[in-house]
Amino acid sequence: MIVVMKRTATPEAVQQMARTVEEMGLKAHVIVGTERTVIAAVGDKRNGAKELLESYDDVEQVVPILAPYKVASLETKPEPTTIRTRGLVVGGGNIGVIAGPCSVESEEQILLAAEQVKAAGATGLRGGAFKPRTSPYAFQGMKEAGLKLLALAREKTGLAIVTEVMTPQHVELVAKYTDVLQIGARNMQNYHLLQAVGETRLPVLLKRGPSATIEEFLLAAEYILDQGNQQVMLCERGIRTFETHTRFTLPLATVAYLQERTHLPIVVDPSHGTGIASLVPSMCLAAVACGCDGLIIEVHPEPKKAMSDGAQSLTPAVFADTMARCRLVAAAVGKTIG
Ligand code: PEP
Ligand code: MN
């Protein structure tokens, strides 16, 4: 249920109502909007709860939330959520650009990549230190040493760091170094991990599982939101279909569809979505045109020498050109990018 507070309700009255909701055995999420403050009351509601809550003076009305994803739903919060960390702004009319290599490989590589993507206009730096690889024999990432290099790159460039955390035990460690915690596609339904990042107050980039439905995707986001972390970005990174020409199939309709259902910002990953570097620029333009709030793009100083995902990584020159073209499309749809 959504408990819509009266405009006249004081912050103390809102807190008191949240306690009342919790005393009824429901979880209370206070959402302060520009128009109204509402409390999403989530859980198994008992008979008469709606009428009881409506009897309080500070309550305007109580309405059921129909979507199974309660806190992520537009019914709960009609205004879009914007995520800001350092210079990275995702949503609110700006398309946040996160770029960098698939994996952190060395100090030289990540510092160079950081400078190159910054020069082209990115405000976020990606780079995996813990890598989820299909084969146990493939490069698994530099782990904490990689996190330290990301922090160094941030110190030198001011870019916001986005890096993956693969297990609940590592959340504290990764959170020490990063600005955004990335949940990889393979972990979208790792519920303990979702809860663990939900307990932090860092923004989370949640990637869609390659075989997950949109409802499963939103319910995964709900696990994070339910822990009180409201800073979740949804990332469409391609799904598995019968098609084998591209690494995954990138369904851009997800962007428009999600915007009709959730206030959370939507990021598109054309690198994993196609797996082919030559297709990435066009898909970046298309993602901007269809209304995405952010892009995450793999860029490597020398893609041919990359230790992972070189085939889908852009050279810094192609990335710079792509950014210039994306700026034109962003302007055409009334947005800024970077
Ligand atoms: C990545 O971002 O490098 C990555 C492993 O992505 P995904 O989880 O979408 O496969
Ligand atoms: Mn990758």
Side-chain angles (χ1 to χ4, degrees):
M1 292 173 293
I2 305 172
V3 182
V4 183
M5 300 300 290
K6 283 189 179 152
R7 281 176 207 282
T8 50
T10 60
E12 295 72 41
V14 173
Q15 286 314 319
Q16 180 55 48
M17 188 51 59
R19 280 194 291 276
T20 305
V21 166
E22 301 244 330
E23 277 160 22
M24 292 169 74
L26 301 167
K27 205 155 186 179
H29 294 275
V30 176
I31 294 149
V32 182
T34 44
E35 288 291 309
R36 288 291 165 95
T37 294
V38 305
I39 300 169
V42 185
D44 272 340
K45 53 182 181 294
R46 58 169 200 243
N47 281 345
K50 176 178 179 333
E51 291 71 19
L52 180 64
L53 288 168
E54 261 171 346
S55 71
Y56 284 83
D57 280 348
D58 288 308
V59 173
E60 172 98 29
Q61 60 169 333
V62 177
V63 281
I65 311 173
L66 299 174
Y69 35 89
K70 308 290 179 193
V71 188
S73 162
L74 267 184
E75 295 173 281
T76 303
K77 182 172 177 280
E79 310 98 49
T81 293
T82 303
I83 292 177
R84 293 187 171 85
T85 173
R86 297 181 191 272
L88 174 67
V89 181
V90 180
N94 187 66
I95 299 157
V97 178
I98 303 156
C102 179
S103 305
V104 180
E105 299 167 2
S106 68
E107 178 171 333
E108 193 191 6
Q109 174 247 19
I110 196 67
L111 293 185
L112 183 57
E115 274 161 27
Q116 289 167 331
V117 301
K118 186 182 175 177
T123 48
L125 174 68
R126 59 150 295 141
F130 290 95
K131 292 305 301 177
R133 304 305 300 280
T134 304
S135 162
Y137 309 119
F139 175 57
Q140 303 285 311
M142 290 182 74
K143 309 196 169 71
E144 190 171 3
L147 296 174
K148 288 187 172 153
L149 293 179
L150 287 167
L152 180 65
R154 171 175 61 199
E155 209 179 293
K156 294 215 185 277
T157 60
L159 292 170
I161 302 300
V162 181
T163 197
E164 179 163 353
V165 57
M166 285 174 55
T167 164
Q169 296 91 291
H170 287 161
V171 170
E172 207 181 313
L173 173 75
V174 179
K176 239 173 49 188
Y177 297 99
T178 197
D179 298 296
V180 176
L181 292 162
Q182 174 175 328
I183 300 294
R186 291 156 190 81
N187 268 320
M188 190 204 82
Q189 286 179 312
N190 181 339
Y191 299 121
H192 288 140
L193 179 60
L194 299 176
Q195 284 170 329
V197 298
E199 283 166 15
T200 74
R201 289 299 172 264
L202 283 181
V204 177
L205 179 91
L206 175 64
K207 290 194 145 197
R208 179 182 185 177
S211 304
T213 64
I214 287 184
E215 185 161 310
E216 288 164 341
F217 189 18
L218 286 166
L219 284 169
E222 198 73 15
Y223 267 91
I224 303 168
L225 298 165
D226 190 48
Q227 298 303 314
N229 187 344
Q230 297 181 3
Q231 302 200 78
V232 180
M233 303 169 239
L234 300 169
C235 177
E236 175 56 80
R237 46 78 73 211
I239 54 174
R240 184 150 278 174
T241 67
F242 53 82
E243 185 53 75
T244 54
H245 284 75
T246 49
R247 184 178 180 193
F248 293 94
T249 297
L250 183 63
L252 287 178
T254 305
V255 177
Y257 185 87
L258 281 172
Q259 279 168 345
E260 290 184 358
R261 280 163 180 78
T262 179
H263 54 86
L264 299 174
I266 299 141
V267 175
V268 173
D269 175 348
S271 308
H272 293 85
T274 62
I276 302 170
S278 65
L279 304 181
V280 170
S282 309
M283 290 301 99
C284 289
L285 298 175
V288 171
C290 76
C292 75
D293 300 294
L295 287 169
I296 181 164
I297 306 167
E298 287 187 339
V299 180
H300 193 286
E302 286 183 273
K304 285 192 172 53
K305 294 190 180 158
M307 293 174 81
S308 59
D309 286 351
Q312 66 192 35
S313 299
L314 300 186
T315 62
V318 172
F319 174 63
D321 180 62
T322 304
M323 283 294 286
R325 294 162 66 204
C326 282
R327 252 176 234 120
L328 298 174
V329 180
V333 295
K335 289 189 181 173
T336 52
I337 183 163

